[in-house]
Amino acid sequence: MSLTRVVLASGRSLDLSELRFSSTYGGMLEGYPCKPVNDMKIKGLVRAAEHAHPAVPVHLVPPPREYPDQYAGAFGPVEVLPSVACVGAFHSTALDRDHDPVLYRSALTIIWFQPTARVPSGCDAEEALREVDWEGLARDYEL
């Protein structure tokens, strides 16, 4: 049973079976949002997703980065990502038409950022999430 269904721009339907939200800057005790901090956060999310689902490919949707007009510190200019980091385990029908549709599915773990802790649904998901190239990134697996 899926948590929700997301429809990609290509028309393919994806079932979301697992979703983890985290605050992009939650737990940040010192420093400020900047490129090095953001890159470490992103690498940590990718590593955690690869570890959680080692047989499934992981794709990062490049997050939008904002540069507010604030004082640049020792690590460079302030660079802000959307406030919610999302890691979702998605499944869909098999990619290979020769695979038995009853026995095979395709899977991809997707990491994306969004401004609120809202579960994506239907065609109402973040545009960047809906633009994912499922056919090029996902992998078939046997049930």
Side-chain angles (χ1 to χ4, degrees), residues 38-139:
N38 292 337
D39 290 348
M40 282 191 318
K41 173 69 174 181
I42 290 168
K43 286 178 186 174
L45 288 168
V46 170
R47 275 195 309 271
E50 290 170 343
H51 185 262
H53 303 280
V56 176
V58 174
H59 173 67
L60 169 70
V61 174
R65 297 172 187 246
E66 294 183 8
Y67 300 91
D69 188 20
Q70 294 179 357
Y71 174 76
F75 298 109
V78 174
E79 179 184 87
V80 181
L81 300 176
S83 58
V84 181
C86 310
V87 179
F90 290 91
H91 304 272
S92 186
T93 56
L95 297 167
D96 188 336
R97 295 186 206 287
D98 292 335
H99 283 154
D100 184 333
V102 175
L103 297 176
Y104 285 87
R105 300 280 184 275
S106 57
L108 179 64
T109 299
I110 304 174
I111 300 166
W112 75 98
F113 290 80
Q114 59 186 35
T116 62
R118 184 179 58 82
V119 176
S121 181
C123 295
D124 194 29
E126 293 291 314
E127 183 179 344
L129 176 61
R130 294 190 62 239
E131 293 293 333
V132 166
D133 176 20
W134 188 266
E135 284 70 19
L137 298 167
R139 183 179 306 146

